[in-house]
Amino acid sequence: MTTSSALDSFLDKWRTRWPEWSVAEPFVPLAQRNLVVAWFTLLQEFDDILNTGGDPMPADAKLAWWGEELRSWAGQRSRHPLGRLLEPLRAPWAELAQALPALVDARAAPLDPAQAMAGLQAYAAAVAAVEAVVFDTPARGDVAAPVLVQTLAQRLHEAGVAAVPRSLLDAGHGDAAQLWAQQLLAGWPARVAGPRPRRLYASLARSRLQARAQGRELKVTPVRTLLRTWWAGRG
């Protein structure tokens, strides 16, 4: 497989998981679109490592590899196909690498919502700092908060009850996963701070969490997605 086809394979894998992006993508400048998908593909790699099930050793080894890779990007050297698009950017890659071990600790069920938030706060801040460079947008407002909530929402989506704080499980008030979704949703406005690609991505992820919080199946239509992302993408 050539480097170009390997890169396309990674980008297509993310697009398959987020088919709604085809409706949101026109709100991103044409020259930036592959870069945006490359960045979100990298974050999906980290989400998969966070939400791995069974034996964690392969995921831990992969995380260690990514730490080394990101540090090499800081020195303008890359091995992974995603580096073709991302490594030339002078982003704080080493700082993101330093925050990655938090993903291992965050696999354990948190005692309560506050611990769930605290466990991934440094990681979310590192992601937001890189995004400010990747999307060439100065940070305004609390840009780490949307990243944090979206990471926890994605964890709930992929890991289910394993992601729910123990305090909600112990309370015994109905569906604990649904209750956790409701709590996350309460702190996640329809339009968040941060660069436009983050706002668009957050709107898609938030709609999935909203369905979970309401105990219903997600109904995706192009018109609904268009209206949602148009609103989220407004400056």
Side-chain angles (χ1 to χ4, degrees):
M1 183 180 292
T2 66
T3 303
S4 178
S5 61
L7 173 61
D8 290 341
S9 177
F10 274 98
L11 302 185
D12 288 345
K13 183 171 67 172
W14 183 85
R15 288 190 174 101
T16 299
R17 292 193 182 192
W18 294 92
E20 310 98 306
W21 185 253
S22 64
V23 178
E25 192 170 46
F27 294 112
V28 177
L30 181 61
Q32 199 180 33
R33 290 176 189 174
N34 275 350
L35 178 65
V36 168
V37 175
W39 170 242
F40 290 152
T41 298
L42 178 62
L43 294 184
Q44 186 66 62
E45 290 285 307
F46 299 152
D47 282 335
D48 289 346
I49 290 169
L50 168 62
N51 302 315
T52 188
D55 182 4
M57 289 184 65
D60 291 350
K62 190 174 184 180
L63 187 69
W65 187 92
W66 270 116
E68 294 177 1
E69 178 71 357
L70 291 178
R71 290 184 179 91
S72 75
W73 289 6
Q76 300 285 279
R77 300 182 304 276
S78 63
R79 292 168 292 174
H80 197 278
L82 292 174
R84 285 188 56 202
L85 293 175
L86 296 171
E87 174 260 302
L89 301 173
R90 305 300 289 174
W93 300 118
E95 288 80 356
L96 178 57
Q98 188 174 354
L100 290 183
L103 300 178
V104 175
D105 295 334
R107 290 192 200 123
L111 295 177
D112 52 37
Q115 188 181 70
M117 295 283 184
L120 288 169
Q121 195 164 21
Y123 168 74
V127 168
V130 171
E131 284 192 350
V133 177
V134 172
F135 302 141
D136 193 22
T137 305
R140 296 188 181 93
D142 188 358
V143 293
V147 177
L148 174 59
V149 178
Q150 185 167 337
T151 302
L152 290 170
Q154 187 69 12
R155 174 155 175 71
L156 177 61
H157 178 73
E158 295 184 13
V161 70
V164 178
R166 293 177 188 172
S167 61
L168 301 182
L169 292 170
D170 295 341
H173 298 314
D175 188 331
Q178 184 176 357
L179 181 59
W180 181 222
Q182 292 168 354
Q183 292 194 13
L184 289 172
L185 194 66
W188 198 1
R191 189 162 61 189
V192 301
R196 176 177 289 179
R198 167 58 61 180
R199 301 199 306 271
L200 296 172
Y201 189 18
S203 72
L204 301 180
R206 188 181 185 277
S207 68
R208 293 186 179 187
L209 182 68
Q210 192 171 31
R212 182 68 176 265
Q214 296 172 353
R216 59 176 175 81
E217 291 291 326
L218 176 65
K219 294 182 179 180
V220 178
T221 68
V223 172
R224 288 180 181 177
T225 302
L226 179 64
L227 292 174
R228 182 182 298 114
T229 52
W230 170 80
W231 170 252
R234 290 179 64 192

